[in-house]
Amino acid sequence: MTAVSLGLNYQGNERITQHTGVQSWLLKPFNLDMGQQASPTRSSLSHVQHFLFLCLIVPLTGPAISSASYSTASELLYMLHEGLPKGILIGNIVRDLQLGLLTDPPLSFSLASKGLSGKYVTLDNSTGELYTSAEELDREALCPHNPGAQDCVLLLDIIILPQEYFRLIKVKIAVIDVNDNAPMFPVAQIYITVPENAPVNTRLVIEHPAYDPDGGLNGVQTYRLVDYYGVFTLDVEENESGERTPYLIIMGTLDREVKSEYKTIIIAEDGGNPPLVGSATLSILISDVNDNCPQFSESAMNVTIPGNSSVGMKVTMVQAVDIDLGSNAIITYAFSERVPQSSKELFYLDENTGIIKLSKKVDGNTIQQHKLTILANGPGCIPAVISVSISIIKVALRPPEVVPRYIATEENGIIYLKELEPIHTPIAFFTIKDPDGKYKVKCYLEGEGPFRLGAYKTYTNEYLLETTNTLDFETKRIFNISVVALSLDGSKVRKPLQVYILDENDNSPVFTQPTIEVTIEENNQANAFLAKLHATDADSGERGQISYFLGPDAPAYFALDKQTGILTVTTMLDREEKEKYRFTVKARDSGKPPRESVATVHITVLDKNDNSPRFISKDFSFFVPENFPGFGEIGVISVTDADSGQNGWIALSIVNGSDIFVIDTGKGLLRAKVSLDREQQSSYTLWVEAADGGDPTLSSTAKITILLLDVNDNPPLVLFPQSNMSYLLVLPSTLPGSPVTEVYAVDKDTGMNAVIAYSIIGRRGPRPESFRIDSKTGNITLEESLMSDDYGLYRLLVKVTDHGYPEPLFSTVMVNLFVNDTVSNESYIESLLRKDADINIEEKEPQIAIEPTHKKIEADSCVPTLVTLSIFCLGSVILITLMAMYICLRKGKKDHRINENLEVQIPLNGKMDFHLLDKKPIEISNI
């Protein structure tokens, strides 16, 4: 018995195996059932991660492994689909042959030959596992000599060693075909010829059938036509080897004279799932058969010739038509047997052209009436018949004879002249002969045209025909004239002439429009159509065939079709880069030498809304002094749009909402509706949107920062003392230099506008110069010791001034000091305060000064004071310098500090609670 292993390998190295019993390989050949014919394609195999279906048949000679049993040969058969990648497990020799691995020494496996086998499979020498080694297993590459066959088998010989376990294993790997090749015709165009008289149901083999490398059902299964034209169908025949051949079947009548060729597409389709197809062009040529006979357009003709006609004169011409082709349309002319011999001798019939000429001279004894029956013969046809009646008019005297001698080209009585022949070009000499010699003959020209017939003076009865004007093929191509000889008895002879004007390249092409105006929207597709140029040429033939060319000034991205005159642009145009193009185009004929003309093309590129408005900066900053008047111009917001017209119209709007600011859309001016106060808000940030007028609208935004510059619009505010009526008790024992009280003020402005200086501008008291104020701190100190006569009320008028520009602002406050040991009578003091203080105002700048005392000061005691004063002044200068440097540094960093007030700020707490500064009079009591 044998075991059949049906395995399914996954990429996770999992394997599902089941065993079924079948007949022994040695007793009966194994009949392999291929299962479903439609196999998954390579793409579908890749989607399911290359699942591999393997069939393993293992014939065994014994249930166990022994040294004797290893000497027998076994045969394995594996089946797998093509299209598998490298590294897929095919089978395990040990497991499939039920060998034992616990041998000493261990088993080793090797391929007997690594030729073609080693290219497609890899054998693990220790485990006996077979893997695919090709990058992709291709059945058509493996079996190139028989790709369409069902069977494609890879044969391997595997040797099991060592010697005591030697065994030769025959392995057959059957590669199952998948539908990975489409049918292909060996030629792109197939021609088949069908006679027009082919009967219905005629079968014609179509040479060059399609070829499909796949085998079985995946090979070519059927054929079809895209268009059967109602007269064709297809049939497919299969021979013993399985090859399918398409046959064309005639289903209706054919007529070459109605349609001489049928073109369609033949499609070959295989049986895969999904099916693959291939196609080729099928040209069905209808060959001519002799199914039409010559026909005359009329059955009879009547011709009259004068009795003195000359030999060789053309009498008339008969012409029949056969609509067949080639040899089937050859026509020959002949006299019928009923034509008398005398008529045959008098008239000559050209059997190829049908021209009848006079072959003998007519005399008085000639029969005056002749009836010629003429036959038009075609191959295998009954002749067509026409009857020509010729009447010969007898004349009493022989008329004059006109004998031409041509100078220009003449053929069959037709004269050919080039249209560029100069004036007075000679055409022919005419000699006028009088056979009887009895009458004088007059010769002249009949017919219209630029011709003249004049007597040639040198000879008698010689006349020269020449041109009198230029000839123009485009104006008139054929002239019918006659040279007439008239005798005195009225006999007249005409020599008809036909003058054909030959065309020459004397006309240049002419554009229907010398200037071509074209418009196209920008951002067009490549190879967009612009215009179709058209020019005409009055010349004929190749001289009138026109080709179109771009002029040398045309940009390289414009193209002009040489034959059709279609002008295209090969790239996308940008109106913002260039709006108008102007270049020349040429129309040239095919004459030798060629002639050409020039036209001008004007191309206007129309605008599309493809550009958003662009601000000159994404971040605008404006510095505006506070108290700026309402609706004053803060600044201009510059924005542009590269588009034109309505697409370039720009509307500005504030998007983050503001009732304070407005924008003039037309000029881009930013205005404030009201006057701005820096002390309320020091800066504003706006977002402005610029929207164009296109459809759809494009827009962009920019940030606008408005920084308010401080203006000195706030005088210092005195916080202490709180009232001009408050007072402070100063004890007489207070030491000189001791602080008595202070004046404290703040300024809402910033920078130098908020720098405050204090000064005493008015004094009143027993010794008012006893007190001084520090200009920077506002501290009031006692300068000298108080004496007994210094007791009483001191009133100091203090001026608090800022350093604003252009004009400083100030406030004043009255500081009341009561020098005494105690406050024994407050009402008395209050009455003094209510009295108007008679104080002289001292208008002077705040300064630091040392007031002299009433005490005697030694001369050398002033030196320390002067030194101290100098040091203080030097320190003040240094402090002012440092403040100026600080202000400059702060201004230099304004671009790096967004939404911050860039003015120099004196560090005052703007949110200070003034109630905390409610200072009460300091009482100094005696202890």
Side-chain angles (χ1 to χ4, degrees):
M1 299 298 289
T2 62
V4 178
S5 176
L6 303 176
L8 188 63
N9 284 338
Y10 299 85
Q11 289 189 352
N13 293 328
E14 300 180 49
R15 180 176 179 87
I16 302 173
T17 306
Q18 65 180 14
H19 297 277
T20 59
V22 296
Q23 291 182 351
S24 172
W25 178 274
L26 299 177
L27 297 177
K28 184 178 180 180
F30 181 77
N31 184 14
L32 181 63
D33 185 2
M34 296 298 290
Q36 294 183 352
Q37 293 293 329
S39 302
T41 62
R42 295 185 183 182
S43 61
S44 63
L45 285 171
S46 64
H47 290 161
V48 297
Q49 313 236 333
H50 295 286
F51 287 168
L52 173 63
F53 176 68
L54 302 174
C55 294
L56 173 64
I57 301 174
V58 185
L60 297 176
T61 57
I65 297 176
S66 65
S67 59
S69 64
Y70 274 87
S71 63
T72 62
S74 299
E75 189 170 276
L76 296 176
L77 172 62
Y78 295 101
M79 299 178 65
L80 69 160
H81 292 92
E82 65 170 327
L84 297 177
K86 181 179 180 180
I88 297 299
L89 178 63
I90 299 174
N92 190 309
I93 303 300
V94 174
R95 184 183 59 205
D96 296 337
L97 290 179
Q98 300 181 358
L99 303 177
L101 288 176
L102 300 177
T103 59
D104 187 18
L107 299 179
S108 65
F109 304 87
S110 61
L111 292 172
S113 175
K114 294 186 178 180
L116 183 63
S117 304
K119 181 179 178 181
Y120 294 99
V121 298
T122 300
L123 176 65
D124 190 307
N125 295 335
S126 59
T127 64
E129 292 178 338
L130 274 174
Y131 294 92
T132 58
S133 61
E135 291 300 329
E136 185 176 282
L137 192 59
D138 188 359
R139 188 186 69 87
E140 288 74 33
L142 181 62
C143 302
H145 300 296
N146 194 16
Q150 290 280 1
D151 298 330
C152 180
V153 179
L154 181 64
L155 301 177
L156 305 175
D157 288 338
I158 297 178
I159 299 174
I160 301 177
L161 295 175
Q163 187 65 35
E164 55 267 30
Y165 302 116
F166 172 79
R167 194 168 181 178
L168 177 63
I169 306 300
K170 298 284 186 178
V171 177
K172 294 182 179 180
I173 301 176
V175 182
I176 302 174
D177 181 49
V178 298
N179 192 27
D180 56 347
N181 293 280
M184 180 185 301
F185 286 91
V187 293
Q189 181 132 6
I190 302 172
Y191 294 93
I192 184 170
T193 302
V194 182
E196 64 176 327
N197 62 347
V200 176
N201 294 327
T202 298
R203 297 171 64 87
L204 300 169
V205 65
I206 297 178
E207 301 292 340
H208 310 296
Y211 166 77
D212 193 331
D214 295 325
L217 190 61
N218 294 331
V220 178
Q221 297 298 316
T222 183
Y223 293 85
R224 68 177 183 273
L225 297 180
V226 173
D227 191 350
Y228 292 91
Y229 291 101
V231 293
F232 302 106
T233 189
L234 280 183
D235 189 18
V236 180
E237 291 187 1
E238 184 176 358
N239 58 17
E240 296 178 355
S241 62
E243 295 179 354
R244 297 173 182 265
T245 302
Y247 283 82
L248 182 70
I249 302 177
I250 311 301
M251 302 299 295
T253 57
L254 304 175
D255 190 348
R256 187 205 63 80
E257 288 73 32
V258 175
K259 190 174 181 66
S260 60
E261 182 180 2
Y262 296 86
K263 276 193 174 183
T264 185
I265 303 296
I266 183 171
I267 297 175
E269 182 177 308
D270 61 23
N273 185 17
L276 303 178
V277 298
S279 63
T281 301
L282 178 63
S283 294
I284 305 171
L285 306 177
I286 309 302
S287 61
D288 185 54
V289 297
N290 193 25
D291 57 346
N292 292 281
C293 291
Q295 295 289 332
F296 285 106
S297 60
E298 51 188 356
S299 60
M301 295 176 61
N302 295 313
V303 180
T304 300
I305 61 173
N308 57 355
S309 299
S310 59
V311 177
M313 183 192 76
K314 178 181 176 181
V315 177
T316 188
M317 177 180 178
V318 294
Q319 187 173 15
V321 177
D322 191 328
I323 60 176
D324 289 327
L325 291 178
S327 60
N328 294 329
I330 297 177
I331 300 175
T332 58
Y333 301 94
F335 288 123
S336 170
E337 295 295 333
R338 292 180 292 177
V339 177
Q341 186 63 31
S342 58
S343 297
K344 292 181 181 180
E345 294 175 355
L346 182 61
F347 300 100
Y348 166 76
L349 174 63
D350 190 306
E351 65 176 3
N352 296 317
T353 64
I355 295 176
I356 301 174
K357 296 183 179 180
L358 191 63
S359 61
K360 289 176 64 177
K361 189 174 182 179
V362 179
D363 55 26
N365 298 323
T366 303
I367 301 174
Q368 303 302 311
Q369 294 289 336
H370 295 272
K371 185 175 182 181
L372 306 179
T373 302
I374 300 175
L375 307 177
N377 299 299
C381 290
I382 299 175
V385 180
I386 188 173
S387 177
V388 180
S389 298
I390 302 175
S391 301
I392 301 176
I393 302 175
K394 297 182 66 175
V395 293
L397 294 174
R398 289 181 295 176
E401 185 177 354
V402 180
V403 180
R405 288 172 292 164
Y406 297 102
I407 301 172
T409 303
E410 182 271 340
E411 185 177 350
N412 294 330
I414 299 175
I415 300 172
Y416 298 95
L417 292 176
K418 295 180 179 180
E419 64 173 329
L420 296 182
E421 293 287 359
I423 301 175
H424 306 305
T425 297
I427 299 174
F429 277 112
F430 291 92
T431 302
I432 308 302
K433 296 181 178 180
D434 184 5
D436 299 325
K438 296 180 179 180
Y439 301 101
K440 186 176 181 180
V441 179
K442 180 182 178 181
C443 189
Y444 59 92
L445 189 65
E446 282 186 351
E448 295 182 356
F451 307 105
R452 179 179 64 189
L453 181 67
Y456 198 64
K457 298 179 181 179
T458 307
Y459 303 99
T460 305
N461 294 333
E462 294 286 346
Y463 295 86
L464 176 65
L465 179 63
E466 62 182 358
T467 60
T468 59
N469 205 342
T470 56
L471 305 174
D472 190 0
F473 171 84
E474 289 74 33
T475 303
K476 192 170 184 179
R477 304 181 182 184
I478 301 175
F479 294 92
N480 291 302
I481 58 176
S482 298
V483 176
V484 180
L486 180 62
S487 62
L488 291 178
D489 65 347
S491 298
K492 183 186 294 186
V493 175
R494 285 185 176 84
K495 177 62 177 177
L497 300 174
Q498 267 193 338
V499 180
Y500 277 30
I501 308 302
L502 300 179
D503 186 31
E504 291 192 288
N505 194 30
D506 60 337
N507 290 279
S508 299
V510 177
F511 281 97
T512 54
Q513 291 178 299
T515 301
I516 298 98
E517 299 286 346
V518 180
T519 58
I520 183 174
E521 281 193 341
E522 64 176 330
N523 305 331
N524 55 281
Q525 297 291 330
N527 300 316
F529 172 83
L530 293 176
K532 187 178 189 304
L533 308 184
H534 182 67
T536 58
D537 194 320
D539 294 323
S540 63
E542 66 177 8
R543 293 171 293 275
Q545 295 178 358
I546 300 174
S547 300
Y548 299 91
F549 302 92
L550 290 172
D553 56 344
Y557 40 82
F558 289 100
L560 181 60
D561 189 279
K562 178 180 178 182
Q563 302 298 330
T564 64
I566 293 178
L567 179 64
T568 57
V569 57
T570 60
T571 187
M572 184 176 69
L573 299 179
D574 186 357
R575 188 204 65 83
E576 289 72 38
E577 181 179 338
K578 190 171 183 180
E579 183 177 5
K580 293 185 179 295
Y581 296 86
R582 182 181 183 275
F583 53 87
T584 57
V585 290
K586 298 179 180 180
R588 183 181 302 160
D589 62 25
S590 301
K592 296 181 180 179
R595 300 172 70 97
E596 64 182 28
S597 62
V598 178
T600 303
V601 177
H602 293 271
I603 298 176
T604 301
V605 183
L606 302 179
D607 184 52
K608 292 181 73 175
N609 192 28
D610 58 344
N611 290 279
S612 300
R614 295 185 61 183
F615 291 92
I616 62 171
S617 174
K618 286 295 183 182
D619 194 347
F620 291 85
S621 295
F622 297 111
F623 296 88
V624 182
E626 63 173 330
N627 303 327
F628 194 70
F631 291 98
E633 296 180 5
I634 295 177
V636 177
I637 302 172
S638 298
V639 60
T640 61
D641 194 318
D643 294 323
S644 65
Q646 186 174 347
N647 295 331
W649 295 351
I650 301 175
L652 297 174
S653 61
I654 301 174
V655 297
N656 58 336
S658 175
D659 296 332
I660 301 176
F661 299 95
V662 293
I663 297 179
D664 185 343
T665 298
K667 299 180 180 179
L669 294 176
L670 178 64
R671 305 173 188 268
K673 298 179 182 178
V674 297
S675 179
L676 304 177
D677 188 356
R678 190 204 63 78
E679 284 71 37
Q680 292 183 3
Q681 186 170 344
S682 61
S683 66
Y684 297 87
T685 300
L686 305 178
W687 289 95
V688 175
E689 179 185 57
D692 60 24
D695 185 17
T697 300
L698 301 180
S699 63
S700 61
T701 58
K703 180 182 178 182
I704 299 177
T705 302
I706 303 170
L707 301 173
L708 298 183
L709 302 178
D710 185 47
V711 175
N712 192 25
D713 57 347
N714 291 282
L717 176 63
V718 178
L719 301 181
F720 184 84
Q722 299 177 356
S723 170
N724 290 333
M725 301 301 291
S726 62
Y727 65 93
L728 182 70
L729 178 65
V730 179
L731 298 177
S733 60
T734 303
L735 297 176
S738 299
V740 176
T741 185
E742 67 173 343
V743 178
Y744 182 73
V746 295
D747 197 317
K748 294 182 180 179
D749 295 322
T750 61
M752 296 304 296
N753 296 331
V755 176
I756 299 174
Y758 302 88
S759 64
I760 299 174
I761 62 173
R763 303 170 185 264
R764 185 180 178 185
R767 193 153 55 109
E769 63 272 9
S770 299
F771 299 94
R772 67 177 296 271
I773 189 168
D774 189 294
S775 63
K776 296 179 181 178
T777 64
N779 291 332
I780 298 176
T781 58
L782 179 64
E783 289 294 303
E784 300 174 353
S785 299
L786 298 172
M787 303 300 178
S788 59
D789 55 352
D790 293 336
Y791 284 35
L793 180 64
Y794 289 79
R795 308 197 75 177
L796 305 177
L797 182 59
V798 177
K799 182 180 180 180
V800 184
T801 308
D802 61 24
H803 286 64
Y805 179 84
E807 181 179 355
L809 303 178
F810 67 90
S811 300
T812 59
V813 65
M814 186 70 74
V815 179
N816 301 302
L817 303 175
F818 184 66
V819 178
N820 197 18
D821 292 326
T822 61
V823 180
S824 59
N825 191 353
E826 290 185 4
S827 61
Y828 170 72
I829 297 173
E830 291 175 358
S831 65
L832 293 177
L833 293 176
R834 283 194 291 270
K835 293 180 181 180
D836 293 334
D838 186 10
I839 299 176
N840 295 325
I841 304 300
E842 303 172 5
E843 290 297 337
K844 59 180 180 179
E845 294 297 326
Q847 59 183 0
I848 301 174
I850 301 176
E851 298 292 338
T853 64
H854 294 287
K855 295 182 180 181
K856 185 178 178 180
I857 301 175
E858 299 294 333
D860 56 355
S861 65
C862 295
V863 174
T865 303
L866 292 174
V867 172
T868 304
L869 181 61
S870 300
I871 293 174
F872 183 82
C873 292
L874 180 61
S876 300
V877 172
I878 294 173
L879 178 61
I880 293 173
T881 304
L882 291 175
M883 289 179 65
M885 293 176 63
Y886 177 72
I887 292 171
C888 293
L889 290 174
R890 289 290 296 266
K891 288 184 177 180
K893 294 180 180 179
K894 65 182 180 180
D895 293 335
H896 303 283
R897 302 179 62 184
I898 301 175
N899 296 329
E900 292 183 6
N901 191 348
L902 303 184
E903 294 291 335
V904 177
Q905 302 285 334
I906 298 300
L908 295 177
N909 189 352
K911 297 182 180 180
M912 183 181 295
D913 190 352
F914 289 9
H915 297 288
L916 298 178
L917 300 175
D918 187 9
K919 299 185 179 180
K920 296 182 179 179
I922 301 175
E923 296 183 2
I924 302 176
S925 60
N926 292 326
I927 301 176

